[in-house]
């Protein structure tokens, strides 16, 4: 944690903003490397399928990120006011609400994948593999939420470097797994989607372990694992 109310504002802003910029670039590189490896080892149809799936995935990621940023703003207010109990309660509310929403959204997206792709007029020759790829990616939506939620929590207390490290780990792990299972063993697009979800899950678990061990001010106590409606509905008064 870092108190950004003391010291040089310019220094704090640069040290906080630079990892955010690097994280955005790394996310783009993450997707690009995934497509490059898929195109190189499992063919043009797989590359086309991942290219078609990418905008849909990005919309989901942006929606999740937006929700987490909103929760992070509230958490940063509690951190600035040193309201530790409310800070931990807001973490619990964000994780419980978000997990529930992401699970429901994953189910709906998995069920609606064929309709989405038909609406996008996906060619018949890659339709089936694109459906499979997107459904597996949607299955990992709760892990995507968990990482972004924990990252938002860390950012709310002034730590933007640690989430970048976990994102970098996820990107490297995904690339390594792709090279092993696609490049060495010749597995197909299903494996490409599974490695992406596995890398996201690992980064979420790492972020969870880090917060539990090193940022206990954010981690809810046993009795706080419940949804506070005043927080979730935005009715909390300061």
């Amino acid at each position: 944690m870092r108190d950004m109310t003391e010291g040089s504002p310019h220094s704090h802003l640069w040290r906080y903003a630079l990892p955010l910029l690097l994280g955005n670039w790394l996310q783009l590189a993450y997707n690009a490397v995934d497509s490059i490896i898929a195109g190189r080892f499992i063919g043009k149809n797989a590359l086309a399928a991942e290219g078609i799936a990418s905008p849909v995935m990005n919309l989901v990621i942006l929606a999740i990120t937006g929700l987490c940023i909103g929760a992070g703003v509230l958490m940063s207010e509690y951190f600035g006011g040193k309201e530790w109990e409310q800070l931990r309660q807001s973490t619990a509310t964000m994780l419980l609400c978000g997990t529930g929403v992401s699970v429901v959204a994953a189910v709906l997206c998995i069920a609606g994948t064929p309709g989405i792709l038909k609406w996008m007029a996906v060619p018949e020759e890659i339709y089936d593999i694109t459906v499979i790829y997107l459904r597996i990616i949607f299955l990992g939506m709760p892990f995507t939420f968990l990482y972004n939620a924990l990252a938002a929590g860390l950012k709310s207390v002034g730590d933007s470097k640690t989430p970048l490290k976990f994102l970098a780990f996820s990107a490297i792990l995904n690339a390594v797994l792709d090279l092993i299972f696609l490049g060495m063993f010749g597995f197909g697009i299903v494996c490409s989607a599974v490695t992406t979800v596995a890398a996201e899950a690992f980064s979420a678990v790492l972020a969870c372990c880090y917060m539990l061990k090193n940022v206990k001010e954010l981690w809810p106590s046993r009795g706080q694992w419940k949804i506070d409606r005043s927080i979730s509905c935005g009715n909390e008064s300061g």
Side-chain angles (χ1 to χ4, degrees), residues 65-111:
T65 302
L67 290 172
C68 293
I69 289 174
V73 170
L74 183 60
M75 295 170 71
S76 66
E77 291 181 2
Y78 291 137
F79 173 64
K82 301 188 185 303
E83 300 177 49
W84 306 117
E85 289 300 310
Q86 286 296 89
L87 178 59
R88 286 189 284 269
Q89 187 64 66
S90 64
T91 302
T93 299
M94 174 179 65
L95 292 176
L96 292 174
C97 278
T99 299
V101 169
S102 63
V103 169
V104 171
V107 172
L108 293 176
C109 287
I110 289 170

Side-chain angles (χ1 to χ4, degrees), residues 84-237:
W84 306 117
E85 289 300 310
Q86 286 296 89
L87 178 59
R88 286 189 284 269
Q89 187 64 66
S90 64
T91 302
T93 299
M94 174 179 65
L95 292 176
L96 292 174
C97 278
T99 299
V101 169
S102 63
V103 169
V104 171
V107 172
L108 293 176
C109 287
I110 289 170
T113 296
I116 293 171
L117 296 182
K118 286 180 180 178
W119 178 75
M120 294 174 67
V122 174
E124 287 295 327
E125 59 268 23
I126 60 171
Y127 176 82
D128 289 338
I129 61 173
T130 309
V131 168
I132 294 171
Y133 181 82
L134 258 184
R135 280 179 164 171
I136 295 173
I137 294 297
F138 286 145
L139 197 62
M141 195 181 297
F143 296 118
T144 304
F145 162 76
L146 182 58
Y147 163 76
N148 281 279
L150 296 173
L154 292 171
K155 292 171 187 175
S156 74
V157 297
D159 182 3
S160 59
K161 292 182 180 179
T162 302
L164 176 63
K165 293 176 183 177
F166 294 140
L167 180 59
F169 168 82
S170 177
I172 294 171
L173 178 61
N174 181 58
V176 170
L177 291 175
D178 277 349
L179 288 172
I180 292 173
F181 291 104
L182 276 62
M184 292 178 60
F185 296 109
F187 293 152
I189 195 169
V190 171
C191 188
S192 178
V194 170
T195 57
T196 298
V197 172
E200 291 175 349
F202 270 111
S203 65
V205 171
L206 282 178
C208 186
C209 292
Y210 177 86
M211 185 181 290
L212 181 59
K213 182 178 180 181
N214 299 295
V215 196
K216 294 183 179 179
E217 293 84 354
L218 277 171
W219 196 256
S221 62
R222 183 176 298 180
Q224 289 180 311
W225 283 105
K226 57 186 178 182
I227 295 175
D228 188 322
R229 291 190 177 183
S230 63
I231 294 175
S232 62
C233 296
N235 297 324
E236 179 68 24
S237 58

